[in-house]
Amino acid sequence: MAGKWTASEDQLRPDPRYNDLVVSKFVNCVMYDGKKSVAQRVIYDAMDIIDKRLSKETSPEAPKDALEVFLRAIENVKPFIEVRSKRIGGANYQVPKPVNKKRQQSLAFRWIIAASRGEKGRPIAQRLADELYSAAKGEGKAMMTREQVHRMAEANRAFAHFA
């Protein structure tokens, strides 16, 4: 039956270290084959790497801890608008539409994870830490993906009346 929602949002428990639901959801997105402890270790190692990097940071507007960097990175990567394909009169149009909150978060997670997995040669915790740190500063591959999505929506603004 299509359109049936799961109870995953109700069952989601905060993660053990930061007691945060967003981190817990991110752990679930990073997880492969049900190996949650491995995914948690990867994320916590990445957070430790970010903490070490923050201890060297001297800028006053820099985040205080790794959780703040993580949340800022997710906020920065979230897209506000995207294009959806719509068939009208035998032609397909890329129609820009606003993105709801749940999808914004899932897209941000997906882009950050894809950017860190796409790079090879180093442990995943280091790659994830680099991607989160650069996304918090407004840089990196995940931010480029977001900008590309926004550019596509801007370019197809003429079809917005089809929405």
Side-chain angles (χ1 to χ4, degrees), residues 58-87:
T58 57
S59 174
E61 69 268 357
K64 307 293 181 263
D65 61 345
L67 182 62
E68 196 177 329
V69 169
F70 173 77
L71 294 174
R72 192 180 291 183
I74 298 299
E75 277 304 311
N76 285 350
V77 175
K78 282 181 181 178
F80 302 115
I81 194 162
E82 68 177 342
V83 290
R84 306 294 296 259
S85 189
K86 190 165 185 180
R87 188 170 177 85

Side-chain angles (χ1 to χ4, degrees), residues 23 29 47-48 62 75 81 83 97 110 120 139 148 163:
V23 175
C29 291
M47 296 291 213
D48 291 340
E75 277 304 311
I81 194 162
V83 290
K97 291 189 176 180
R110 199 179 307 164
K120 297 292 179 202
E139 305 164 356
Q148 199 172 7

Side-chain angles (χ1 to χ4, degrees), residues 6-20:
T6 63
S8 64
E9 205 62 41
D10 303 331
Q11 295 173 354
L12 188 66
R13 290 199 173 92
D15 75 297
R17 187 191 280 189
Y18 297 103
N19 202 27
D20 191 64

Side-chain angles (χ1 to χ4, degrees), residues 82-86 88 93-97 156 159-160 162-163:
E82 68 177 342
V83 290
R84 306 294 296 259
S85 189
K86 190 165 185 180
I88 295 158
Y93 294 102
Q94 296 291 319
V95 180
K97 291 189 176 180
N156 289 298
F159 306 124
F162 289 135

Side-chain angles (χ1 to χ4, degrees), residues 138-157:
E139 305 164 356
K141 287 183 187 170
M143 282 300 293
M144 285 174 49
T145 306
R146 174 187 180 264
E147 295 304 321
Q148 199 172 7
V149 166
H150 281 186
R151 270 199 302 275
M152 279 286 290
E154 183 64 30
N156 289 298
R157 199 174 59 189

Side-chain angles (χ1 to χ4, degrees), residues 90-109:
N92 286 324
Y93 294 102
Q94 296 291 319
V95 180
K97 291 189 176 180
V99 185
N100 70 22
K101 294 283 180 209
K102 238 180 184 175
R103 183 158 167 79
Q104 281 182 356
Q105 188 183 53
S106 67
L107 284 173
F109 285 174

